[in-house]
Amino acid sequence: MKVSESLELRNGITLKNRFFKSAMSETMANGRNQPGEKHVRLYHEWAKGGAGVVVTGNVMVDRNALGEPGNVVIEDEKDMDILKRWAEKGTEYDTHLWMQINHPGKQSPKTMSKEPVAPSAIPMGEALKGAFNPPRALENGEIKSLVERYVKTAEVAKKAGFTGVQIHGAHGYLVNQFLSPHDNRRDDEYGGDLENRMRFLMEIYKGMRRVLGETFPISLKLNSSDFNQEGFTEAESIAVVEKMADMGLDLIEISGGNYKQPKMSTGTDSEVFFLDYAQKLKEKVDILVVVTGGFRSKESMEAALEKGHTDMIGIARPMALDPHLPNRIMSDDYEKMTTRRLTTGIKGLDEKMGPAVGNVYYAMQLKRIAEGKETQQHTNAWRPLLHLIATHGPQALKPKRRKRR
Ligand SMILES: Cc1cc2nc3c(=O)[nH]c(=O)nc-3n(C[C@H](O)[C@H](O)[C@H](O)COP(=O)(O)O)c2cc1C
């Protein structure tokens, strides 16, 4: 099957091809967390580049809970003018532009949150203690108002002209924390068995469906598992997708991991990280699936589509190096993209660096695209490393991970 084939969603909407540009946090908002012309230009380039769907970087629902400096926050309609421009340019060339909506929960760094919130007061764990303050448990009423925040952000997105939304339920952020029996030890209706741990996600989905209408695309990014013995398992993940498919979810994007187990970004170039899981999922549940993580060659993309393991090709990092990648692949003007690990040239220092340095490097490329400059394809970690330390201080390097990108 070809990457250029169109795809029809449950609600009759047609996506022009199988390329799904996955979320990448732009970290380009101003000091008041507003988007600006850089977002407009970046998303215009991606729209020109040919992807059927472009998902925005995570947009936060609460300005007191940021994942990184420069996150866009949408709590109300006050930035409607610039949001409309962003949506207008990002949907040119018949591109779908979906807003990813998120709350980091306890994964809000020390530099951003004195006391982050979470389902339960479970700290991030020994290796990450230096970078994150211990969270406090959310009160029952606070959970209900957070649900309303997710719904409000989605409503503003639709009003501005975004053509879909994505709930971020992966990578250890708040929705994922509710799903995880390790992070969620609540004894009210939001904790306990899977049905209760899913309640936060289900209420967000139902609230969004209510305000967005039956035909507006709502997708979910979900971990295949947390890769942690006490965390959210593969079987639970499949059960969540089953339930969400019954409720009318349009599409599920599969990823995995969190800050402790960064599986979403540590695989090597040649592997597609979550295909085995997607295969099992497709056998059990009737829903459109997008696998993201590791797709680099046209052959692996078309093989995965042909075997029916995925309905679309989720791609992130290569789209930061070449925003026109889908068009190039479709016209065969393309050599396999590599996204090699960054290095400082000093082994001990490389050992200390986590995936955060890689993320900074890719975010720097996004800024270059937004400024109309060529991207820089290199593996030198020094500039992103210094940028990271300047933004977060030396504690940004505290987390130790076994594998890096
Ligand atoms: C700079 C950067 C920022 C990212 N921001 C987000 C984000 O906001 N939301 C999200 O779900 N994933 C985010 N990701 C993860 C990607 O969407 C994707 O799951 C991951 O990079 C694996 O795909 P790839 O191998 O094609 O890069 C980010 C990745 C990078 C490199």
Side-chain angles (χ1 to χ4, degrees):
M1 186 186 282
K2 299 235 174 301
V3 276
S4 56
E5 269 179 42
S6 64
L7 177 70
E8 196 173 314
L9 297 180
R10 186 187 64 90
N11 48 27
I13 289 172
T14 302
L15 306 175
K16 67 179 176 179
N17 61 42
R18 305 302 175 111
F19 286 102
F20 185 95
K21 184 252 145 215
S22 256
M24 272 185 286
S25 192
E26 312 85 11
T27 59
M28 290 188 321
N30 66 15
R32 284 184 289 159
N33 302 100
Q34 296 166 301
E37 285 303 316
K38 282 189 182 159
H39 293 83
V40 177
R41 286 196 296 268
L42 173 62
Y43 283 83
H44 195 209
E45 280 311 308
W46 273 326
K48 265 190 218 162
V53 175
V54 171
V55 182
T56 69
N58 58 173
V59 167
M60 298 300 178
V61 301
D62 182 349
R63 65 184 57 258
N64 295 315
L66 301 181
E68 305 135 297
N71 282 149
V72 172
V73 176
I74 300 180
E75 297 176 323
D76 50 39
E77 296 187 14
K78 77 174 163 39
D79 295 321
M80 191 50 90
D81 289 349
I82 185 72
L83 287 171
K84 280 187 172 162
R85 270 185 62 70
W86 182 0
E88 187 195 329
K89 291 291 171 190
T91 54
E92 279 188 13
Y93 309 93
D94 200 17
T95 311
H96 262 264
L97 179 61
W98 294 0
M99 183 183 284
Q100 188 185 59
I101 301 178
N102 193 23
H103 184 299
K106 64 181 159 184
Q107 279 189 172
S108 178
K110 258 184 185 168
T111 45
M112 309 268 98
S113 295
K114 262 197 181 145
E115 193 182 45
V117 293
S120 304
I122 313 286
M124 291 280 285
E126 234 8 78
L128 294 167
K129 254 187 179 163
F132 298 88
N133 283 320
R136 71 170 174 82
L138 283 160
E139 294 185 9
N140 186 280
E142 287 180 299
I143 298 175
K144 297 188 195 310
S145 36
L146 278 178
V147 169
E148 287 315 311
R149 281 181 178 274
Y150 279 77
V151 175
K152 181 72 197 175
T153 306
E155 191 179 14
V156 176
K158 181 179 179 191
K159 196 163 175 187
F162 289 78
T163 55
V165 290
Q166 182 177 65
I167 303 166
H168 197 347
H171 303 170
Y173 293 111
L174 189 58
V175 169
N176 192 176
Q177 289 163 32
F178 269 94
L179 291 171
S180 157
H182 171 78
D183 296 322
N184 181 350
R185 317 267 175 98
R186 300 183 71 87
D187 55 14
D188 60 4
E189 74 271 29
Y190 293 101
D193 61 14
L194 182 61
E195 199 180 330
N196 278 358
R197 282 182 275 124
M198 269 189 76
R199 194 172 307 282
F200 182 58
L201 168 62
M202 288 194 299
E203 288 183 356
I204 291 171
Y205 174 78
K206 280 189 200 152
M208 286 185 181
R209 189 52 86 200
R210 193 183 63 239
V211 302
L212 300 175
E214 267 312 303
T215 56
F216 195 78
I218 304 181
S219 65
L220 168 69
K221 188 162 181 173
L222 192 69
N223 276 3
S224 58
S225 98
D226 288 346
F227 301 97
N228 157 359
Q229 277 183 341
E230 299 168 318
F232 180 59
T233 63
E234 198 173 284
E236 287 190 332
S237 174
I238 292 181
V240 169
V241 181
E242 262 180 317
K243 178 83 187 174
M244 298 300 290
D246 279 352
M247 288 168 62
L249 185 79
D250 294 281
L251 178 147
I252 182 95
E253 182 185 357
I254 298 306
S255 188
N258 51 39
Y259 283 10
K260 261 191 281 177
Q261 299 275 349
K263 300 274 183 200
M264 59 287 206
S265 54
T266 48
T268 61
D269 270 340
S270 57
E271 79 187 78
V272 181
F273 318 149
F274 307 113
L275 269 183
D276 291 349
Y277 166 87
Q279 200 176 341
K280 283 185 218 160
L281 182 66
K282 288 233 78 148
E283 280 162 16
K284 282 200 94 170
V285 191
D286 183 18
I287 189 165
L288 292 178
V289 173
V290 179
V291 176
T292 299
F295 277 115
R296 299 296 179 263
S297 72
K298 186 175 182 178
E299 291 69 37
S300 68
M301 296 173 190
E302 295 201 328
L305 290 171
E306 190 59 49
K307 289 183 190 142
H309 296 169
T310 186
D311 296 293
M312 295 189 83
I313 303 298
I315 321 183
R317 287 167 288 175
M319 294 289 283
L321 300 179
D322 182 354
H324 299 169
L325 193 68
N327 279 343
R328 273 198 233 290
I329 292 178
M330 286 185 287
S331 60
D332 281 325
D333 166 26
Y334 161 76
E335 282 175 30
K336 186 180 157 189
M337 173 75 68
T338 56
T339 48
R340 277 168 300 164
R341 213 183 87 198
L342 299 183
T343 172
T344 56
I346 302 171
K347 198 165 170 252
L349 189 54
D350 282 356
E351 285 296 315
K352 272 193 160 252
M353 295 192 318
V357 172
N359 275 14
V360 171
Y361 162 71
Y362 288 102
M364 288 166 94
Q365 306 314 312
L366 302 187
K367 283 203 185 80
R368 293 184 70 86
I369 298 169
E371 288 163 357
K373 297 178 184 158
E374 291 287 311
T375 57
Q376 297 168 314
Q377 299 192 22
H378 59 69
T379 54
N380 186 330
W382 279 103
R383 279 194 60 198
L385 179 60
L386 294 175
H387 186 90
L388 185 68
I389 293 171
T391 333
H392 283 291
Q395 74 264 34
L397 291 180
K398 280 269 170 65
K400 288 196 185 78
R401 281 119 173 169
R402 263 169 281 125
K403 289 165 129 194
R404 297 154 311 278
R405 118 160 98 250

